Amino acid sequence: MLEVKPDIEFKRELSKLSGSQLNQCMQCGNCSAVCSLAPAERPFPRKEMIWAGWGLKEKLIGNVDIWLCHQCGDCSSSCPRDVKPADVLAAIRQKTYASYARPRFLGKMLSKPAWLPVAIAIPVVVLITILSLAGTFRIPEGPVDYSAFFPHGLLNGSFSAITLFFYLLASFGIVRFWKDMKQQTPPGESGMQRLPIGKVLREILSHSNFSGCGSRKPGKLAHMLLFFGFTILILVTIYAIFATITHNYPLPFSNPFKLMGNLASLMIYTGLGIMIGQRLFNREVFGKSGYSDWLLLVSIGLLTLSGTLVEAARFGNWACAYHLYFFHLVAVWFVIMYLPFTKLGHISYRTTALLYARSIGRK
Ligand code: SF4
Ligand code: SF4
């Protein structure tokens, strides 16, 4: 006999996060019919809507289809009961990061505004401790030289170790996510194909799934600007780490990597501008923007802005240069180290889900 385990608290949280009256869904199926990304067999989001209405957390967390949705909002626009399935799926994705986070408090800390002071205090305290132990926690005299404040070797070593630590914790969550997907959406009779890594990479890089979403064309441009801007910044940072090792740092303004970094910042500012505009002025399509949406946009904005100011402060020898630099390091921690536990974690969860979906032939 099929055992149904409703989780009323989970249902309540989904309702709150999505701003949807889940009980209003009458299972008409319009949402699945209009979704251009839903597979023909067992399409979404109608079935997810009934599971959400029943509070079936176990069927939703670890559901591969949740990640095939690119939140275009077409289903919400055509829902006769104004239930907003697009926002419900976004809320389930948000609950997924928190559910797989270990230790659990990391997921909780980054999903609730009340915990924001703690999330900020952790990097502040750790950075002050590292700098105090190194004996450099003071404003150096003379022209701005960030390595006099945070020696390059110490910065590269400590940040790499902390990032690896957080990502190792996150990898356990990804493994459990894979197992749950396998349990809930088992491979069909033809079994699993070899992991289609190249195919999924092409899908991600081309943002081809965004093209299928009718009402959200500018969303694709904004997402591409952010995605490629962010990727370029990471590549430039890796180059900068090598430059510190070979003593070719700081880079002059005319250095091609420096120019690429500045171009990437411009791409991020533009992408963020479009996204914030859409969330503020096109709520009909983009639905309800929650804490996790704003936390991501604001933290990426502050990271990029503080990076630009840190660079200007070095060239201009500003008195506040080291304060800006400290702020920038906290922002780096917030976006990069916390990545798997915030909305930015969709990079890893969506990639994993796409790999699983394509390897079982779910298109
Ligand atoms: S969410 Fe709306 S469109 Fe989808 S099945 Fe329910 S009532 Fe119909
Ligand atoms: S938001 Fe778009 S992609 Fe997601 S379920 Fe609705 S129609 Fe499909």
Side-chain angles (χ1 to χ4, degrees):
M1 189 197 292
L2 180 69
E3 193 186 353
V4 177
K5 292 188 208 156
D7 183 333
I8 301 305
E9 185 51 34
F10 179 71
K11 178 183 170 183
R12 226 176 263 137
E13 284 178 34
L14 283 187
S15 265
K16 196 170 153 203
L17 284 170
S18 62
S20 292
Q21 296 295 328
L22 295 167
N23 291 339
Q24 300 264 335
C25 171
M26 60 178 183
Q27 286 291 294
C28 66
N30 266 7
C31 47
S32 292
V34 297
C35 177
S36 45
L37 298 182
E41 196 187 322
R42 287 177 290 117
F44 59 86
R46 186 197 63 82
K47 64 184 188 313
E48 283 72 17
M49 290 307 292
I50 194 152
W51 294 340
W54 287 350
L56 299 186
K57 181 178 176 182
E58 284 175 20
K59 287 192 86 65
L60 293 168
I61 302 290
N63 176 339
V64 62
D65 285 358
I66 296 295
W67 299 92
L68 303 184
C69 159
H70 280 60
Q71 216 185 342
C72 62
D74 287 354
C75 52
S76 294
S77 313
S78 57
C79 173
R81 304 296 290 260
D82 197 24
V83 189
K84 307 186 186 81
D87 292 347
V88 175
L89 295 198
I92 298 167
R93 286 191 289 272
Q94 191 182 327
K95 294 300 294 173
T96 304
Y97 317 125
S99 296
Y100 287 113
R102 291 292 181 280
R104 280 182 196 277
F105 91 89
L106 273 177
K108 192 171 169 186
M109 181 178 81
L110 292 158
S111 61
K112 300 207 186 302
W115 284 87
L116 182 61
V118 180
I120 297 172
I122 291 175
V124 170
V125 170
V126 173
L127 288 176
I128 290 177
T129 308
I130 294 175
L131 292 171
S132 302
L133 290 174
T136 57
F137 190 52
R138 55 185 155 66
I139 305 292
E141 288 173 6
V144 172
D145 174 7
Y146 294 123
S147 68
F149 179 68
F150 208 145
H152 291 318
L154 184 64
L155 175 69
N156 296 341
S158 56
F159 268 52
S160 304
I162 296 166
T163 307
L164 280 177
F165 172 70
F166 276 109
Y167 286 23
L168 182 69
L169 290 180
S171 66
F172 297 125
I174 294 289
V175 171
R176 283 191 302 119
F177 176 51
W178 184 273
K179 282 185 185 156
D180 287 351
M181 283 191 296
K182 218 168 167 180
Q183 195 184 21
Q184 289 181 28
T185 317
E189 281 174 11
S190 49
M192 277 182 86
Q193 301 161 14
R194 214 155 43 105
L195 284 186
I197 296 175
K199 197 172 158 189
V200 167
L201 260 182
R202 274 196 301 280
E203 212 173 306
I204 293 171
L205 293 177
S206 66
H207 281 56
S208 54
N209 290 327
F210 278 88
S211 309
C213 295
S215 53
R216 209 183 167 186
K217 289 282 188 280
K220 177 178 178 180
L221 173 66
H223 199 275
M224 284 186 100
L225 284 167
L226 272 184
F227 178 83
F228 287 111
F230 203 70
T231 308
I232 294 172
L233 274 189
I234 288 179
L235 293 176
V236 170
T237 306
I238 293 171
Y239 174 80
I241 291 174
F242 281 109
T244 61
I245 295 169
T246 53
H247 304 289
N248 291 324
Y249 199 84
L251 306 173
F253 191 77
S254 56
N255 182 289
F257 280 89
K258 185 69 120 182
L259 294 175
M260 262 168 59
N262 287 326
L263 173 71
S265 300
L266 271 178
M267 289 165 72
I268 292 178
Y269 290 134
T270 314
L272 277 179
I274 299 174
M275 274 195 187
I276 291 172
Q278 285 168 333
R279 290 198 172 274
L280 288 177
F281 304 113
N282 201 358
R283 296 188 70 173
E284 188 85 352
V285 169
F286 285 87
K288 188 181 177 202
S289 297
Y291 173 67
S292 66
D293 300 306
W294 290 116
L295 183 70
L296 177 65
L297 295 180
V298 170
S299 53
I300 290 182
L302 288 176
L303 169 69
T304 316
L305 181 64
S306 59
T308 307
L309 291 175
V310 160
E311 185 185 0
R314 179 167 69 82
F315 287 117
N317 265 317
W318 296 0
C320 60
Y322 296 101
H323 301 87
L324 283 170
Y325 186 54
F326 189 86
F327 180 89
H328 179 62
L329 293 176
V330 174
V332 169
W333 180 305
F334 217 92
V335 175
I336 304 295
M337 274 82 149
Y338 286 158
L339 179 149
F341 314 105
T342 63
K343 191 179 173 186
L344 207 51
H346 76 272
I347 295 173
S348 45
Y349 283 95
R350 197 183 292 282
T351 307
T352 310
L354 280 174
L355 274 172
Y356 182 72
R358 303 314 179 221
S359 67
I360 59 167
R362 192 146 177 79
K363 297 196 178 78

